[in-house]
Amino acid sequence: YDNPQIGETSVLLINQAIMIPSMMNILLCPMQCRLNNVSVNDVPKFLVKNPTANDHLVIIPSDDDVMSFLHIPLKLQGVTSYFPVRAATLAEYENDHVLKFHFTAEAPDWDPGSSSFASQEDSMLELF
């Protein structure tokens, strides 16, 4: 990801994702990202009652520095939120000075059909 605001490149690591070579876009599952401590604030600013800098933004904790976070502002194309990315070069990937950020976890195995998500949600509904 090339941050246009500060002119810095970061490597975004996406594990356990579906790659469709014919697609120009990368589709991410927000729940899968959230389970990896990534904040996905996908409501557009114009739909938020009191918008802040953290609305319509993805916030990813750094793998390299516990005090470092990458803030990626989202854009809209129609009703779809997105941000532009490109493939990292091998030199960028291997460069220790380029921060790495995991969008999704390497483990445990991602099973979007797992009944555990419904069970966890149902247990929360009992609180209200």
Side-chain angles (χ1 to χ4, degrees):
Y1 169 71
D2 296 315
N3 187 330
Q5 296 169 329
I6 60 173
E8 189 173 280
T9 296
S10 301
V11 173
L12 305 179
L13 302 166
I14 302 170
N15 303 287
Q16 304 186 64
I18 298 171
M19 182 177 174
I20 304 172
S22 62
M23 288 187 66
M24 295 294 297
N25 301 315
I26 299 168
L27 303 176
L28 293 171
C29 175
M31 185 181 289
Q32 187 180 11
C33 298
R34 290 177 178 125
L35 288 169
N36 197 45
N37 296 319
V38 173
S39 296
V40 180
N41 304 326
D42 54 355
V43 178
K45 289 183 187 302
F46 78 92
L47 292 175
V48 176
K49 188 173 184 173
N50 295 305
T52 69
N54 286 338
D55 290 308
H56 211 222
L57 185 81
V58 176
I59 304 170
I60 312 169
S62 171
D63 293 346
D64 304 318
D65 178 357
V66 295
M67 298 305 293
S68 181
F69 294 85
L70 178 62
H71 292 76
I72 302 176
L74 296 173
K75 299 179 178 195
L76 282 174
Q77 182 171 348
V79 297
T80 304
S81 295
Y82 78 97
F83 61 95
V85 294
R86 63 173 176 81
T89 65
L90 182 59
E92 289 168 334
Y93 183 78
E94 292 176 341
N95 186 335
D96 290 337
H97 299 291
V98 174
L99 289 177
K100 315 293 189 291
F101 296 87
H102 273 91
F103 247 105
T104 56
E106 293 181 83
D109 287 344
W110 171 246
D111 179 7
S114 172
S115 62
S116 70
F117 302 121
S119 297
Q120 291 175 73
E121 183 68 7
D122 289 347
S123 71
M124 296 301 294
L125 293 174
E126 294 170 4
L127 298 175
F128 299 94

